[in-house]
């Protein structure tokens, strides 16, 4: 499992209920007494307060400490317009928590807020490593600085929610094929029961979560498969479509990939030298 003791895994979610798709992995980390923190970007429309309460309830069930929950409360669907604010907040949180790993929704064109969450994390990591390497080289030329922080760079992971790559409608909980090795958190009976309880907790999202997860495996949720996640390649280019052709969100939102790509190209810096 990623993360080492005392260096938390930070989960970055676009919406309340994104955690449904990585809940078992969070639970495993928490059960191993590894610190887990979470940041939600959006507020969740009209039901904002209720949805935040649902996430707090879900985290209690998963075993995440309430003091490790952070909320940015942006308007739903508008996170791309607030990219710089998100990056700033993330960098502050990264300085504070020094996470060993950051988990974000996959870059898969399912929802612009999901892709923005990962873009923000990638931008924050690249900017932070640039600052750290600049500080390190300045220190080399000057006097020795015993208080210097060791270079700290979290590993970025992604988990799939839904996309339209190679699917007539939506592919749920499966990655767009890539070259990075996919890790799987094994899902046992108690984890399926957790997913079932979570599906009930996120009742304001019933219209979305229930059809996505199906709840079709009966009370034991036997159709719930192992939970995939994989490392995000450090060189990923966010100005290139995650797959050729029209993205899922281009069918049901007014956001077009060109808009995302323009913002991504301006925000991202070339990766810092290793
Ligand atoms: Zn979402």
């Amino acid at each position: 499992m990623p993360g080492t003791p005392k260096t938390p895994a930070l989960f970055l979610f676009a919406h309340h209920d994104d955690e449904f798709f990585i809940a078992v992995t969070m639970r495993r980390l928490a059960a191993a007494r590894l610190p887990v923190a979470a940041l939600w970007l959006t507020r969740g429309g009209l039901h904002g307060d209720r949805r935040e309460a649902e996430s707090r309830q879900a985290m209690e069930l998963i075993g995440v400490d309430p003091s490790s929950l952070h909320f940015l409360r942006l308007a739903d669907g508008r996170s791309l317009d607030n990219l710089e604010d998100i990056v700033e907040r993330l960098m502050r949180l990264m300085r504070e928590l020094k996470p060993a790993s950051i988990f974000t929704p996959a870059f898969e064109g399912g929802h612009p807020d999901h892709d923005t969450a990962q873009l923000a994390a990638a931008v924050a990591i690249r900017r932070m490593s640039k600052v750290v390497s600049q500080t390190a080289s300045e220190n080399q030329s000057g006097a020795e600085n015993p208080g210097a922080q060791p270079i700290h760079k979290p590993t970025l992971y992604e988990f799939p929610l839904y996309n339209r790559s190679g699917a007539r409608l939506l592919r749920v909980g499966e990655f767009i094929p890539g070259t990075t090795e996919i890790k799987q958190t094994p899902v046992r009976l108690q984890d399926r029961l957790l997913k079932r309880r979570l599906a009930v907790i996120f009742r304001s999202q019933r219209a979305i979560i229930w059809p996505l997860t199906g709840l079709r495996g009966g009370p034991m949720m036997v159709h719930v498969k192992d939970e995939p996640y994989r490392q995000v390649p450090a060189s990923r280019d966010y100005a290139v479509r995650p797959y050729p052709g029209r993205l899922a969100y281009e069918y049901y939102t007014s956001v077009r990939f060109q808009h995302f790509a323009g913002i991504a190209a301006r925000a991202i810096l070339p990766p810092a030298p290793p």
Side-chain angles (χ1 to χ4, degrees):
M1 297 294 286
T4 49
K6 307 298 172 213
T7 54
L10 172 61
F11 287 78
L12 179 58
F13 300 122
H15 311 116
H16 298 292
D17 74 1
D18 289 354
E19 59 266 44
F20 184 87
F21 295 87
I22 195 72
V24 176
T25 306
M26 291 183 93
R27 177 197 241 186
R28 266 318 178 275
L29 290 164
R33 302 208 167 276
L34 295 171
V36 175
L39 169 65
W40 286 263
L41 299 186
T42 64
R43 191 175 170 273
L46 287 174
H47 305 293
D49 294 339
R50 196 162 96 197
R51 296 194 59 190
E52 194 170 305
E54 289 172 357
S55 276
R56 289 183 187 278
Q57 213 183 331
M59 290 302 116
E60 193 183 339
L61 208 56
I62 290 167
V64 180
D65 194 287
S67 66
S68 302
L69 310 181
H70 307 270
F71 304 93
L72 208 48
R73 303 189 179 105
L74 300 169
D76 246 27
R78 301 293 304 276
S79 57
L80 190 54
D81 301 333
N82 294 285
L83 182 69
E84 285 302 323
D85 291 344
I86 299 169
V87 171
E88 277 302 309
R89 175 68 179 264
L90 250 180
M91 286 170 69
R92 275 213 306 276
L93 208 53
M94 285 164 67
R95 278 186 211 106
E96 189 186 317
L97 302 175
K98 300 191 171 40
S101 51
I102 300 182
F103 285 78
T104 69
F107 176 57
E108 60 184 354
H111 194 291
D113 289 337
H114 296 167
D115 290 3
T116 301
Q118 181 171 131
L119 172 65
V123 170
I125 290 173
R126 290 181 204 194
R127 286 188 192 171
M128 295 271 287
S129 27
K130 195 156 189 259
V131 169
V132 170
S133 51
Q134 275 170 354
T135 316
S137 55
E138 279 159 18
N139 284 343
Q140 272 170 11
S141 55
E144 218 175 289
N145 179 3
Q149 294 289 311
I151 291 181
H152 161 79
K153 192 175 175 184
T155 307
L156 185 58
Y157 293 96
E158 62 178 356
F159 59 92
L161 288 98
Y162 46 88
N163 62 70
R164 210 173 180 277
S165 144
R168 226 159 44 83
L169 292 168
L170 283 180
R171 179 211 293 260
V172 178
E174 281 177 51
F175 278 118
I176 299 169
T179 51
T180 318
E181 181 208 352
I182 296 176
K183 299 170 196 296
Q184 304 273 2
T185 302
V187 170
R188 305 171 192 142
L189 174 60
Q190 60 186 27
D191 303 319
R192 295 201 181 94
L193 298 179
L194 170 74
K195 290 256 184 179
R196 194 177 62 167
R197 292 175 73 186
L198 290 175
V200 174
I201 284 178
F202 292 116
R203 52 193 159 271
S204 73
Q205 292 311 99
R206 186 173 296 203
I208 295 168
I209 287 257
W210 288 33
L212 279 184
T213 58
L215 290 189
R216 61 184 182 277
M220 294 297 122
M221 304 276 285
V222 286
H223 68 293
V224 174
K225 290 170 281 183
D226 291 352
E227 231 174 50
Y229 62 94
R230 69 184 177 192
Q231 198 174 331
V232 174
S235 59
R236 175 170 283 170
D237 186 351
Y238 293 92
V240 175
R241 281 176 186 273
Y243 60 89
R246 195 169 168 189
L247 302 179
Y249 67 66
E250 292 179 310
Y251 284 88
Y252 47 71
T253 74
S254 58
V255 180
R256 295 294 166 263
F257 182 73
Q258 285 80 345
H259 179 57
F260 180 93
I263 290 176
R266 282 189 295 278
I268 213 114
L269 294 166

